Amino acid sequence: MASSGFYLDKWFLDFIDQKGQARIFYAAKLTWHGITVHYASCLDYTASNGARTRHHFRNVKMPVLKDKCITWSDEYLNVKGTWTSEARSLKSRVFDSKDGHLDWSCHQPSSSVELTIDGQVIIGKGYAEQLILTAPPWKIPMTDLRWGRFRSLNFTLVWIELRHRGKKQWLWLNEKRAVQCEIEDERLWSEELNFSLKLDRAVVLESEKKIFNVVEKLLRYLPGFKRVIPSHFLFADGYKWLSHGKLEKQGHEAEHGIAIHEWVNFNVAER
């Protein structure tokens, strides 16, 4: 563990089926100066019910990665799933400093998924990534964070952008990384890779001060944790969308697909 006393192992797993039903799962283990807390949550979206979220802090199991498969189950959320990779993994050290680092591992930019939820088996497509953070996240210079993933029949797109007096960007199209690109909430493009992606942001999955809400729940286990977090980080606004996307690439017919993407705005203060 870094001298900061902070260590976070956080998994993000998602699922989308042909009916447009989406599920997003988080499983995380946070250690702060010797105290460890586990956390799991599920965001469930259907067109009829909208987005609903459940979470808990007890008996959380972390996902297991073996070869091309990730397995995960959670008794409280009543879910069991298998993610099988359909694309090569992607990795990058997003941040590095004397305080620690952030390692991002996209184990499965694209995967086939089988979930058992409340005894019902459902099949779809998905995505899986893992973050290992040994520096407090508020030490990472950023005023905006954008992240997303898109999949169509022939294309897989993954992106991250940190803005702070400039931009740090990571974007892969079918495992090929773009050195130069533009990333916005409703559009991404790169002349280098000859593509553009338009996103409609039709479904708002989350629109809240998520960091503040999670930290408030953590205080039961980590007293005083909130006092060390700067207000610009604690009260950041977060937006997550489920978008229909249209990807156009030179020499190919336009393809339609689905994206899950987000923007976290650290330019706000307590309200």
Side-chain angles (χ1 to χ4, degrees):
M1 183 180 299
S3 58
S4 66
F6 185 98
Y7 182 89
L8 176 65
D9 180 357
K10 179 181 178 182
W11 284 76
F12 171 100
L13 306 162
D14 73 24
F15 166 91
I16 303 172
D17 68 10
Q18 291 184 344
K19 298 178 181 179
Q21 177 181 208
R23 281 185 165 89
I24 296 174
F25 304 100
Y26 290 96
K29 179 173 68 174
L30 169 64
T31 299
W32 174 251
H33 292 297
I35 302 174
T36 298
V37 181
H38 291 77
Y39 172 81
S41 72
C42 170
L43 186 153
D44 181 6
Y45 169 79
T46 61
S48 57
N49 296 324
R52 298 182 294 181
T53 302
R54 295 175 291 154
H55 69 271
H56 71 98
F57 293 88
R58 56 184 182 273
N59 301 323
V60 176
K61 296 180 181 179
M62 300 299 283
V64 176
L65 171 63
K66 185 176 181 181
D67 299 325
K68 293 186 176 182
C69 287
I70 295 170
T71 55
W72 183 65
S73 62
D74 189 279
E75 294 180 359
Y76 180 82
L77 299 173
N78 202 10
V79 60
K80 179 172 63 175
T82 300
W83 283 255
T84 303
S85 181
E86 296 182 338
R88 183 176 61 86
S89 63
L90 308 169
K91 295 183 179 182
S92 184
R93 176 156 287 189
V94 174
F95 174 73
D96 201 1
S97 76
K98 61 180 180 60
D99 296 309
H101 60 262
L102 170 56
D103 284 341
W104 173 79
S105 298
C106 181
H107 298 300
Q108 296 182 1
S110 176
S111 52
S112 58
V113 185
E114 179 178 303
L115 295 180
T116 303
I117 298 179
D118 299 326
Q120 179 185 5
V121 177
I122 53 177
I123 305 296
K125 299 297 182 180
Y127 169 98
E129 71 173 36
Q130 180 186 19
L131 299 179
I132 298 293
L133 182 57
T134 64
W138 53 89
K139 295 285 188 178
I140 302 175
M142 54 183 172
T143 55
D144 302 80
L145 164 66
R146 285 180 171 85
W147 165 93
R149 59 67 137 207
F150 167 85
R151 173 179 173 142
S152 64
L153 180 62
N154 294 298
F155 295 102
T156 298
L157 187 65
V158 181
W159 65 92
I160 304 172
E161 180 184 81
L162 306 180
R163 294 188 184 184
H164 178 75
R165 301 174 186 170
K167 300 177 182 179
K168 295 180 66 177
Q169 298 173 319
W170 297 262
L171 182 148
W172 289 266
L173 177 64
N174 285 3
E175 305 173 12
K176 185 173 182 180
R177 184 172 176 183
V179 176
Q180 295 182 339
C181 58
E182 296 295 332
I183 298 173
E184 300 293 345
D185 296 326
E186 71 287 345
R187 185 171 177 242
L188 297 87
W189 68 99
S190 169
E191 293 183 3
E192 176 188 354
L193 297 184
N194 297 314
F195 87 92
S196 68
L197 172 65
K198 294 182 180 179
L199 301 167
D200 64 6
R201 294 184 292 171
V203 175
V204 178
L205 297 174
E206 291 178 339
S207 177
E208 60 174 336
K209 293 186 181 295
K210 186 173 182 178
I211 296 173
F212 175 81
N213 292 337
V214 172
V215 169
E216 284 286 291
K217 298 178 179 70
L218 284 173
L219 292 180
R220 175 182 174 185
Y221 308 93
L222 301 174
F225 186 56
K226 187 168 71 171
R227 291 197 298 267
V228 304
I229 304 176
S231 61
H232 76 274
F233 186 88
L234 183 63
F235 295 102
D237 284 331
Y239 304 89
K240 187 179 270 91
W241 299 281
L242 179 69
S243 286
H244 288 88
K246 180 181 179 181
L247 189 144
E248 296 181 332
K249 182 169 173 58
Q250 185 175 343
H252 296 262
E253 290 187 13
E255 290 197 8
H256 294 267
I258 300 292
I260 293 176
H261 56 119
E262 67 179 351
W263 170 45
V264 183
N265 177 16
F266 298 99
N267 293 290
V268 297
E270 182 177 0
R271 295 172 187 166

